[in-house]
Amino acid sequence: MNIIKALRELSLKNQVKFLIIFAFSMIILAVPLLFVDIATDIYLYFLFGLITSMMLCFKFTGLLKSIPESVRNIISIFIFIAVPVANTIFVAPASNRNYVVMNLFIISIVCFILFLIIRNSAVTSVITTLLCFSLYTLNDVLIAIRGNILTLSDFSAFRTALTVASNYSYEITENVYYSFLCTVALVVCSVVFPYIPKKVNSIRVKTRVYEFVCIWTIFSSILFLKEFDEYSTIYNWYNQYTFNERGICYNLVMNIKERIHTPPKNYSVKAVNDILERYDVKEESRNPNIIIIMNEAYSDLSLFTEINPSEDPTPFINSLDENVTKGYTVVSSIGGKTCNSEFEYLTGLSMAFLPYDTYPYLQYIRDDTQTIISDLDSDIYNKIYMHPYIASNYKRSSVFTFLGFDEFYDGLKFSDQKYYKEQIENMEGAVYYEGVDLIRGYIGDGVTYDKAIELFENKPEGERTVQFIVTMQNHWPYDYKGEDFENTISSGTGIYDFDQYLSLVKISDNEIKRLIEYFSDTEEDTVIVFFGDHIPGMDSLIEKNNISSGFVPEVDETLSKYSTPFFIWTNFDTETEDAGFVSLNYLSLLTKKKAGIELTEFDMFRDEIYQKYPVFSPNIIIDNEGNICYNKEEIDDEIISEYEKLQYYYLFDK
C-alpha cells in the first residue's frame, strides 16, 4: 500500500522520469532482438525487462524511501539467496536436472564464500553473475566457431586465440540473449537492494543471514563433494552433449579434477625400465634428410561429407604410387588444437592419457622431452622448426628447444621486417609480412616450401636437415572475398566456404607436387612426411545446410571426423603400402621405419602396441581385428597400462 501511495504522490517531474526510465530501459534491452532470432520464450524478455525497469525506476525516482528498512532488508536477503538459483537456471544453465543441482552447489559455494570475505551482497552478486555470464557466453562462442566447449586450457591459450579471433564470425544465440537479460536484472536488483551486515567485532558478525551463509556454504560443499564422483565423467567424443547436459560451471570443475596428474596404477621407474628392457636397440641408421609437413586443416572432405566437387582437388597426392606409404592418420581434435597434433607426432605420446582440455605445449613441456627430433644425431642433423606465423602462438618459440630443435623459423624469418606489422585488410587476424606473397593474408604453402628448399640448399656439406613444418595457408575461416584470391573449385554444395576450402587444398596439392619433384632430382636420400593436423571446423555449416555426413558408409562416423590423409614418401627405393587408419601417435614411428632410422626402446614398444591397436586416440580405439571402442577404460589389456606408464615417465617423471 505504501508503494502505491508513493506512486500516486510522486511529483510530475518524477512521474515523467519514471515513464522515461521504464520505456528507455525496455527499449535498450530489446535492441539485441534486432540481431537475435527469437523463436520461443519471448516472455522472458518481458519478465527480466520488467524487473530491470522497475528496479531502475525505484532507484532514480526516490520510491525506495517509501519502503521500510526492515522490508528492504528482507528483499535484499531474498535477492541475494536467489542469485545462485537464477544464475543456475537462466545465466549459466544445464539441461540435466542432476547437474542443475551440482551447478547450483558450485555457484552457491563461490557466491557465499565471496560474501563471507567481502560482506557486501551487491558486490558479491555482481561478481558471481558477471563471471557466470562471461563463462557461458565464451563457451557458446567456442562451440559455435570450433565445435568444442570451454576448458581451463583455453585460458592458457588466450593470447593465441586473440591473434586469430577476428577471423571468426559469431551470431548471438537465443540462449545467450536470455542469459544477458537475467544478468542485467540480477545486477540491477543486487545494486538497488544491497545487504551489508553490520560488524560487531573483527572476529564475529552478529547476523542470522551471515550464519545462514556459513551453514549453507558448508552444506553445499559437503553435498557437492559427496555427489561429485557420481557425475564426473567427461564424454570427450561428444562435447556438445557435455556442455548441454552438465553446464559450464560443472565442466570447468571437472577440468580441475582431470588436470591433477597422479601416477598410473602400479607405476614405478623400475616398472618402466622392466618394459623397456624387453627390447634390443639395433645401432644402424640411414640418416636421410627429413621434411615433415603438418598441413593446416588439410583433410579429405568426402570422408565425412557428401560433396560433388567440380574437379579432384588433390590429383597429385592421390596419384602417388611409388616409394610411398599412404593412409589416414587419426588425430585428437576437430577444427583446432593444432599444437596437440604436433605434440602427438613429435613425442609418440597419446592425448588419450591426458585430460580433454590439455595443451601439453602450454602445460607440461618445461624441460627436455624425448621426440623423434631429439632422437636424431645432433652431430649429423640440423633441426629446424618452421611455422610461418606468430612465433609465440602455443608457446612454440619457448618449447622448440625442449623438443630437440636447433632453430625456429616464424613468419618474420620469411621477410626483412623485424616485427609484426599492421594486419591485412578484410583479414584482420592475418599479419602483414613485407615483401612476401600472401594467400588470404597468410604465408602460403609454396612460399613455405621455398624456404625449406633454401635451407636444404644452404646447409653445410655432409650435414643433414630435419625440418618440422606447420603451415598456415589453409587456416579457417573460408569466407575470404578479397581481390587477391578466387575460388577455383565448386564443391557441389552451393556453399562458398566449401568452395574456398577445396580451392586452397588444390593449391596445397600443387605445391607439394613441386616439392616432391624437386627432391626427386636430388642425390641425397630424403623423406617427406605430409599429414593434416585436423579437419576444418565446418560442423556448424554441415548441420546448418543439411549436408549428409558419413559419405563413406564403411567408415565409422567418429573415425571419419577425426581422420586426415597422410603419406610418407622417399626419393629412394622403399616398399609402397596402404597403411589404412593410423593414429597420430604412431606416425613418427612409421616415419622412422620408412626412413631406415634407428628405433629406440620406446619406438619398439610403440611398434608392438601399434600392431595390436593401430588406432589409439582419445575419441576412438580400433584393434587389429577392426573392433571399435570409444573409451579406453573399457579395454582390459596390460599393454595399454604399460603405454600409460611409459607416457607418465616420459612426460612427467623423466
Side-chain angles (χ1 to χ4, degrees):
M1 294 297 294
N2 289 336
I3 296 175
I4 296 175
K5 182 179 178 181
L7 280 170
R8 291 174 177 173
E9 294 177 353
L10 278 178
S11 65
L12 179 61
K13 178 180 178 181
N14 278 333
Q15 288 179 4
V16 173
K17 183 187 294 186
F18 186 100
L19 292 174
I20 292 174
I21 292 173
F22 185 87
F24 184 74
S25 55
M26 290 294 289
I27 292 171
I28 290 296
L29 291 176
V31 168
L33 290 173
L34 300 174
F35 309 98
V36 182
D37 182 17
I38 301 297
T40 59
D41 300 333
I42 192 67
Y43 70 88
L44 288 176
Y45 158 71
F46 294 103
L47 172 64
F48 293 129
L50 182 63
I51 293 173
T52 303
S53 300
M54 291 300 295
M55 287 292 173
L56 291 174
C57 290
F58 271 68
K59 178 69 174 176
F60 294 107
T61 60
L63 284 173
L64 279 179
K65 296 178 182 179
S66 65
I67 304 176
E69 183 178 359
S70 59
V71 177
R72 289 204 303 268
N73 283 337
I74 292 174
I75 295 174
S76 300
I77 294 169
F78 174 79
I79 291 174
F80 178 61
I81 294 174
V83 163
V85 178
N87 271 284
T88 304
I89 297 175
F90 296 110
V91 178
S95 60
N96 185 305
R97 63 190 184 96
N98 293 318
Y99 295 100
V100 169
V101 175
M102 299 302 290
N103 279 274
L104 175 60
F105 286 158
I106 296 170
I107 296 172
S108 296
I109 291 168
V110 171
C111 183
F112 291 155
I113 287 177
L114 283 175
F115 180 72
L116 292 174
I117 297 171
I118 300 173
R119 297 190 177 96
N120 185 313
S121 70
V123 176
T124 298
S125 298
V126 169
I127 292 175
T128 303
T129 304
L130 290 180
L131 180 61
C132 287
F133 174 71
S134 300
L135 293 174
Y136 183 81
T137 303
L138 183 57
N139 188 73
D140 193 72
V141 170
L142 291 178
I143 286 178
I145 65 177
R146 78 177 188 196
N148 294 330
I149 60 173
L150 174 68
T151 63
L152 292 175
S153 290
D154 289 314
F155 297 104
S156 301
F158 189 68
R159 287 183 59 192
T160 298
L162 286 179
T163 64
V164 295
S166 55
N167 287 351
Y168 299 87
S169 59
Y170 169 72
E171 296 180 2
I172 299 173
T173 63
E174 182 178 351
N175 290 335
V176 169
Y177 173 63
Y178 290 134
S179 176
F180 164 74
L181 288 179
C182 186
T183 298
V184 173
L186 287 177
V187 167
V188 171
C189 289
S190 300
V191 171
V192 173
F193 288 97
Y195 183 82
I196 307 174
K198 298 177 181 179
K199 290 185 179 180
V200 175
N201 54 51
S202 60
I203 305 297
R204 184 173 176 79
V205 178
K206 189 178 180 181
T207 168
R208 292 184 183 278
V209 174
Y210 203 70
E211 292 171 356
F212 167 78
V213 168
C214 293
I215 294 171
W216 175 251
T217 303
I218 295 171
F219 174 73
S220 297
S221 301
I222 292 172
L223 281 180
F224 176 75
L225 292 173
K226 180 181 177 181
E227 299 294 328
F228 183 79
D229 283 336
E230 183 178 352
Y231 303 107
S232 60
T233 301
I234 288 183
Y235 295 99
N236 293 345
W237 57 91
Y238 199 179
N239 301 323
Q240 184 77 41
Y241 169 87
T242 303
F243 166 65
N244 289 333
E245 289 285 311
R246 299 155 191 267
I248 183 59
C249 296
Y250 191 73
N251 281 339
L252 290 176
V253 171
M254 281 196 293
N255 289 163
I256 295 174
K257 176 186 176 183
E258 294 204 348
R259 287 162 69 97
I260 299 174
H261 297 287
T262 56
K265 185 179 179 180
N266 299 323
Y267 172 82
S268 69
V269 174
K270 181 181 183 304
V272 169
N273 289 332
D274 288 343
I275 297 170
L276 297 177
E277 286 174 359
R278 300 201 302 246
Y279 308 100
D280 295 323
V281 174
K282 299 178 181 179
E283 297 183 359
E284 52 186 52
S285 183
R286 187 174 191 124
N287 298 323
N289 296 293
I290 307 172
I291 297 178
I292 305 156
I293 300 166
M294 192 176 80
N295 196 273
E296 170 64 35
Y298 181 88
S299 67
D300 179 0
L301 289 188
S302 67
L303 196 64
F304 61 95
T305 58
E306 186 171 0
I307 63 172
N308 185 26
S310 56
E311 63 177 277
D312 182 1
T314 57
F316 175 74
I317 291 177
N318 292 339
S319 69
L320 283 174
D321 58 2
E322 291 185 8
N323 305 320
V324 65
T325 297
K326 300 172 69 174
Y328 289 94
T329 188
V330 183
V331 302
S332 62
S333 61
I334 294 175
K337 297 189 175 182
T338 297
C339 64
N340 288 357
S341 294
E342 299 171 45
F343 168 80
E344 285 195 296
Y345 177 86
L346 291 170
T347 65
L349 305 179
S350 175
M351 294 299 299
F353 295 119
L354 297 173
Y356 163 72
D357 73 322
T358 297
Y359 290 84
Y361 275 18
L362 303 175
Q363 297 163 253
Y364 309 137
I365 308 297
R366 299 186 178 92
D367 206 339
D368 290 347
T369 302
Q370 186 166 336
T371 66
I372 182 177
I373 306 301
S374 64
D375 289 342
L376 298 174
D377 191 336
S378 296
D379 293 332
I380 298 174
Y381 282 94
N382 180 35
K383 306 172 181 182
I384 297 169
Y385 195 134
M386 187 185 301
H387 178 55
Y389 202 54
I390 299 173
S392 60
N393 281 2
Y394 293 125
K395 291 177 63 177
R396 289 184 179 99
S397 56
S398 300
V399 303
F400 80 94
T401 56
F402 299 147
L403 300 171
F405 291 96
D406 300 318
E407 300 178 76
F408 183 86
Y409 279 74
D410 68 337
L412 294 180
K413 292 288 183 71
F414 287 75
S415 75
D416 296 330
Q417 66 198 53
K418 303 300 181 184
Y419 57 90
Y420 299 108
K421 295 193 175 182
E422 67 272 14
Q423 297 171 331
I424 295 293
E425 185 180 359
N426 300 323
M427 200 73 174
E428 294 180 359
V431 178
Y432 175 76
Y433 294 102
E434 189 174 276
V436 182
D437 291 332
L438 302 175
I439 296 177
R440 303 181 312 131
Y442 294 121
I443 294 177
D445 289 0
V447 174
T448 304
Y449 301 159
D450 285 342
K451 177 64 70 173
I453 292 172
E454 175 189 327
L455 293 172
F456 168 77
E457 291 179 339
N458 293 335
K459 65 181 178 63
E461 186 177 351
E463 185 180 87
R464 294 290 182 267
T465 182
V466 55
Q467 301 180 35
F468 183 72
I469 301 171
V470 181
T471 68
M472 275 298 293
Q473 172 190 291
N474 300 336
H475 201 284
W476 201 90
Y478 309 109
D479 57 359
Y480 180 73
K481 296 180 181 179
E483 295 181 357
D484 58 337
F485 184 82
E486 181 179 351
N487 295 345
T488 58
I489 294 183
S490 169
S491 63
T493 65
I495 301 175
Y496 184 88
D497 299 56
F498 278 77
D499 297 347
Q500 184 159 111
Y501 176 76
L502 291 177
S503 301
L504 291 166
V505 168
K506 180 182 178 181
I507 296 174
S508 294
D509 188 73
N510 291 336
E511 296 301 340
I512 196 65
K513 175 184 178 182
R514 187 167 62 85
L515 184 69
I516 286 180
E517 287 177 346
Y518 172 85
F519 279 102
S520 295
D521 295 331
T522 59
E523 295 182 359
E524 293 185 12
D525 290 349
T526 300
V527 178
I528 294 179
V529 183
F530 182 96
F531 63 98
D533 58 341
H534 53 69
I535 69 170
M538 289 181 167
D539 277 6
S540 59
L541 281 174
I542 292 172
E543 182 177 350
K544 182 178 179 180
N545 293 277
N546 296 317
I547 298 175
S548 300
S549 59
F551 184 64
V552 182
E554 66 270 18
V555 179
D556 175 88
E557 182 177 355
T558 299
L559 182 63
S560 66
K561 288 185 176 181
Y562 285 93
S563 298
T564 68
F566 84 89
F567 68 79
I568 307 172
W569 172 87
T570 63
N571 67 350
F572 51 90
D573 290 338
T574 55
E575 182 180 356
T576 294
E577 57 183 331
D578 181 355
F581 289 90
V582 179
S583 53
L584 189 51
N585 52 308
Y586 300 130
L587 198 55
S588 58
L589 167 68
L590 299 190
T591 300
K592 283 186 172 185
K593 293 174 70 174
K594 187 78 171 178
I597 295 172
E598 176 184 309
L599 301 183
T600 65
E601 294 93 337
F602 180 54
D603 293 329
M604 294 178 180
F605 171 84
R606 280 196 295 157
D607 199 15
E608 183 178 342
I609 192 172
Y610 165 63
Q611 300 302 328
K612 196 169 186 180
Y613 297 98
V615 174
F616 186 84
S617 77
N619 309 291
I620 187 169
I621 299 170
I622 304 177
D623 65 19
N624 53 12
E625 295 181 353
N627 299 310
I628 295 176
C629 178
Y630 302 102
N631 186 353
K632 69 177 180 4
E633 305 301 333
E634 298 176 4
I635 302 176
D636 183 15
D637 193 330
E638 179 61 25
I639 197 169
I640 292 179
S641 299
E642 291 178 340
Y643 194 7
E644 187 173 14
K645 291 173 186 175
L646 288 171
Q647 173 148 327
Y648 185 87
Y649 172 73
Y650 284 115
L651 193 56
F652 299 112
D653 204 21
K654 185 175 181 181

